[in-house]
Amino acid sequence: MFRAEPAALAATHFSENLKMFLTGDIASMCSLRSRRSLALSLFLGASAMIPLPAWSTPETRAASDVRQSWIFHEAMVSMDGLYDPAVGLLRGTVLSSSHPVSHPIRESSWYAFGLMMRHGPTDQQRAERIMNVILDNQYPASEGMKDEAAWAGSFRRSPDEPLPTEKAVAWNEYDPNWREFIGSEFALMLHVFGGRLTPDLRSRLHESIHQAVQGELHNRRLSPSYTNIAIMFGQLLDEDAVYRHDRALAAIRDRWIHDTVAIFHQHQSFMEYNSPTYYGVDLFGLGLWRRYGSTTVMRSEGEDISRHLWTDIAAFYSAPMKNLSGPYDRAYGMDMESYVALLGDWIGTFVPRSSAPIPATMTVETPHLADLWFAPTFVFLKATLPSGLRNDFLTLRQSHDVTRRIDNSRSVSARVERDILLGGETADQQRGVDRKSQYHPLAVQWRASCGHISTLRISDTPEADVMIQQDVARVSWQGHVTFALHDPCPDTLKISNTLWIAGNMRIQVQTDARKVGHTGDQKDVVIRYDVGHFSRLVFTLAQ
């Protein structure tokens, strides 16, 4: 274990090295590194020989128990039914992705890996076709170009997506993160099934990874604090450096890995904290590190951080609720039983279907259905749970409080019970929420009278801080605050200035703020307060 540098200093060091690498000033890079501490020198020395992974001895078959996993089977059945042989990709669904497209390219890469795992009579032929179609839809990146497009090295989200315009906006007209998602899946494909692929396809996959790395390095938009993408990019740097015996790129990789894990070691937490979706990506990237990283540091950090992350997840998790308590730094929903979250997929790899935090039934109408299709990859990588931790995902031993620090200004508090979860985040009133935000500084869930999950969250505020003390949430804000209350049961909602009633939940409101009003129907209500700065919400769940 090495001593973590402050995140700002770590980011500065990486920027220095990246600039030197891109300008070819390797001598200056080496001189700069020679002035670093002995510990850092030892860290870099761990990969000086750039050992090659065992490309010639791939794991050609998944164990039968892996292929018989219920979530592997469910994901493959879903994808089999959506495969379009005319295009060579999966068909998109309206609610299957954050980028609804006709034939999703990223998600099809997950299907290709699952096909290679299953290894049925025509599975490999289909997988190879999918990979070639995906490769044909990568935006080219060339080395040394000064005017490279911001999307160079990434991929179309669908073959019919038009070429980005000169003023293209990331995530609207293209997604730069497809470099890391698809490149990492290609890297895993090469490690596990490279021996079954043709030399031409292997060469194309290696070149694709190289293009993704070059495009990302040129773009310079990525930071080690962008946790889920940063971890995958670390693996791509490693793959390309090792395959090409590129010592300069290996130095860039070492610094990137160092800076990424340095952020974690400051407070044993990532900046993208407590995310039902992005924790799933973190565990994927860390799984690649621990199994296929070419350096001792990558493998050990991948293993250690994975285990710590699972321990932290278990502390926030209520098995009876089948949910992770908030607050959520990034979340697409408030209830993992109502949409597919990648963390739910991971938990589904080691618990029975009846205990998994995913929708009871899944169809093309299920929100974020496409995230189910990542599951075969998770099944293969396997979750690394500390001894005895699996039981925490099957039963709640006792109700408890959780407090954590994310960084010097952000901290979280939560209450985990059998029938209610409360979570809050404070950030010195520096973070706000808008109607499209994935950030949920207040997240409350409870098991409603009809058995489904009811939720309460802050849906709009310039800034807000939330602290949880058992069944009480203390909320402070600037300007105004809007709460979104969801009740899936056919209850009569009663909303006043001091009391909100939703079925079996009573919420007492103590505030000096002025209630502007509330709007909505019998299932969803929006409640707005102005002027005041402090509120105390007391939650009482009828048994």
Side-chain angles (χ1 to χ4, degrees):
M1 190 70 68
F2 56 87
R3 184 173 178 271
E5 294 182 290
L9 179 60
T12 299
H13 287 169
F14 174 75
S15 298
E16 292 171 351
N17 283 309
L18 179 58
K19 180 179 180 181
M20 292 175 187
F21 171 71
L22 291 173
T23 58
D25 192 0
I26 304 303
S28 296
M29 181 190 297
C30 294
S31 175
L32 176 64
R33 291 187 180 281
S34 69
R35 298 195 297 270
R36 297 279 163 78
S37 66
L38 175 62
L40 182 55
S41 297
L42 291 173
F43 169 78
L44 295 174
S47 60
M49 297 306 294
I50 317 180
L52 283 169
W55 300 105
S56 59
T57 56
E59 302 167 66
T60 56
R61 277 184 177 271
S64 61
D65 63 324
V66 168
R67 287 183 283 113
Q68 291 171 9
S69 161
W70 69 264
I71 197 166
F72 174 84
H73 175 74
E74 196 161 328
M76 294 304 292
V77 168
S78 175
M79 290 186 283
D80 286 341
L82 289 168
Y83 179 68
D84 186 347
V87 178
L89 297 170
L90 296 172
R91 295 183 182 89
T93 65
V94 174
L95 299 174
S96 68
S97 171
S98 57
H99 302 294
V101 293
S102 61
H103 292 86
I105 280 178
R106 179 191 62 166
E107 290 79 355
S108 295
S109 74
W110 303 339
Y111 184 38
F113 186 80
L115 289 166
M116 296 294 286
M117 281 180 67
R118 189 171 62 186
H119 202 23
T122 62
D123 283 346
Q124 178 158 334
Q125 180 182 10
R126 178 175 289 187
E128 290 179 344
R129 172 141 191 247
I130 290 171
M131 284 185 278
N132 278 301
V133 171
I134 294 172
L135 288 163
D136 290 341
N137 282 279
Q138 184 173 22
Y139 297 120
S142 54
E143 299 181 53
M145 287 188 65
K146 295 182 180 179
D147 300 318
E148 197 74 88
W151 51 87
S154 193
F155 299 78
R156 282 184 170 87
R157 289 171 290 189
S158 182
D160 55 5
E161 185 171 63
L163 184 70
T165 63
E166 183 179 350
K167 297 181 179 180
V169 177
W171 294 287
N172 288 342
E173 295 179 75
Y174 69 95
D175 196 319
N177 294 341
W178 266 219
R179 298 181 184 110
E180 285 74 22
F181 276 107
I182 297 173
S184 295
E185 200 70 22
F186 282 171
L188 182 61
M189 184 75 76
L190 285 163
H191 278 287
V192 182
F193 302 117
R196 281 167 43 191
L197 303 178
T198 65
D200 178 67
L201 183 52
R202 287 200 304 270
S203 178
R204 291 193 74 191
L205 292 174
H206 282 302
E207 177 60 25
S208 175
I209 292 171
H210 181 63
Q211 296 271 313
V213 168
Q214 290 299 311
E216 196 64 78
L217 289 174
H218 180 86
N219 195 235
R220 304 189 191 190
R221 57 103 195 185
L222 191 57
S223 164
S225 63
Y226 192 179
T227 306
N228 76 106
I229 306 303
I231 294 173
M232 292 189 292
F233 185 54
Q235 184 66 32
L236 292 189
L237 287 168
D238 186 51
E239 298 293 336
D240 206 31
V242 169
Y243 181 69
R244 297 176 186 280
H245 300 272
D246 189 330
R247 293 182 181 276
L249 191 57
I252 295 294
R253 169 207 60 201
D254 289 342
R255 172 50 57 186
W256 185 265
I257 298 298
H258 175 272
D259 291 355
T260 302
V261 302
I263 294 172
F264 178 83
H265 287 303
Q266 287 184 74
H267 298 285
Q268 300 296 292
S269 63
F270 285 127
M271 300 301 285
E272 292 179 325
Y273 192 75
N274 212 37
S275 171
T277 291
Y278 294 102
Y279 266 2
V281 184
D282 295 343
L283 291 165
F284 165 63
L286 292 168
L288 296 178
W289 285 18
R290 61 182 165 80
R291 291 189 69 159
Y292 301 109
S294 70
T295 72
T296 301
V297 170
M298 287 186 71
R299 293 192 297 273
S300 63
E301 290 291 349
E303 184 76 24
D304 292 346
I305 295 176
S306 292
R307 289 181 177 275
H308 184 93
L309 195 56
W310 275 118
T311 301
D312 205 48
I313 290 168
F316 285 85
Y317 189 75
S318 172
M321 290 282 289
K322 295 185 184 179
N323 266 295
L324 184 73
S325 171
Y328 305 128
D329 190 76
R330 299 182 69 188
Y332 289 109
M334 289 281 288
D335 170 26
M336 288 195 287
E337 289 186 301
S338 64
Y339 77 105
V340 182
L342 294 179
L343 180 59
D345 291 348
W346 270 105
I347 296 172
T349 66
F350 58 82
V351 303
R353 179 66 168 88
S354 59
S355 300
I358 61 175
T361 59
M362 284 183 275
T363 69
V364 293
E365 298 300 320
T366 301
H368 288 272
L369 173 66
D371 283 353
L372 172 68
W373 305 339
F374 213 166
T377 296
F378 300 166
V379 170
F380 179 83
L381 289 173
K382 296 183 179 179
T384 52
L385 300 179
S387 178
L389 199 67
R390 179 177 177 271
N391 288 335
D392 289 353
F393 294 94
L394 295 171
T395 184
L396 181 65
R397 300 177 188 180
Q398 61 181 9
S399 299
H400 59 273
D401 298 302
V402 186
T403 58
R404 294 287 190 271
R405 179 158 290 282
I406 303 173
D407 60 24
N408 293 334
S409 63
R410 297 168 60 203
S411 61
V412 302
S413 52
R415 177 69 178 175
V416 179
E417 299 183 13
R418 181 177 184 84
D419 296 314
I420 184 171
L421 296 169
L422 300 94
E425 178 172 330
T426 64
D428 294 337
Q429 292 195 0
Q430 297 299 309
R431 301 188 71 187
V433 181
D434 60 42
R435 291 174 178 81
K436 296 182 179 180
S437 179
Q438 297 179 24
Y439 173 51
H440 302 300
L442 172 69
V444 184
Q445 302 125 300
W446 62 93
R447 185 69 68 181
S449 55
C450 60
H452 297 298
I453 299 294
S454 291
T455 64
L456 176 72
R457 62 186 174 89
I458 291 177
S459 58
D460 182 43
T461 187
E463 298 92 14
D465 284 345
V466 182
M467 291 186 63
I468 303 298
Q469 295 177 319
Q470 292 196 343
D471 293 334
V472 177
R474 298 180 181 273
V475 184
S476 56
W477 67 84
Q478 295 288 339
H480 70 269
V481 63
T482 301
F483 298 91
L485 172 63
H486 172 70
D487 180 14
C489 307
D491 296 322
T492 300
L493 298 174
K494 297 180 180 179
I495 307 296
S496 69
N497 192 50
T498 59
L499 180 64
W500 309 341
I501 299 178
N504 58 344
M505 172 60 75
R506 293 172 59 89
I507 306 172
Q508 293 178 300
V509 184
Q510 300 175 18
T511 181
D512 62 357
R514 176 171 58 87
K515 176 174 168 289
V516 175
H518 65 275
T519 59
D521 53 31
Q522 289 302 306
K523 288 190 175 183
D524 293 282
V525 176
V526 173
I527 311 161
R528 180 182 170 103
Y529 287 82
D530 276 344
V531 182
H533 301 288
F534 177 79
S535 179
R536 183 172 181 267
L537 307 178
V538 181
F539 296 84
T540 304
L541 187 66
Q543 300 299 318

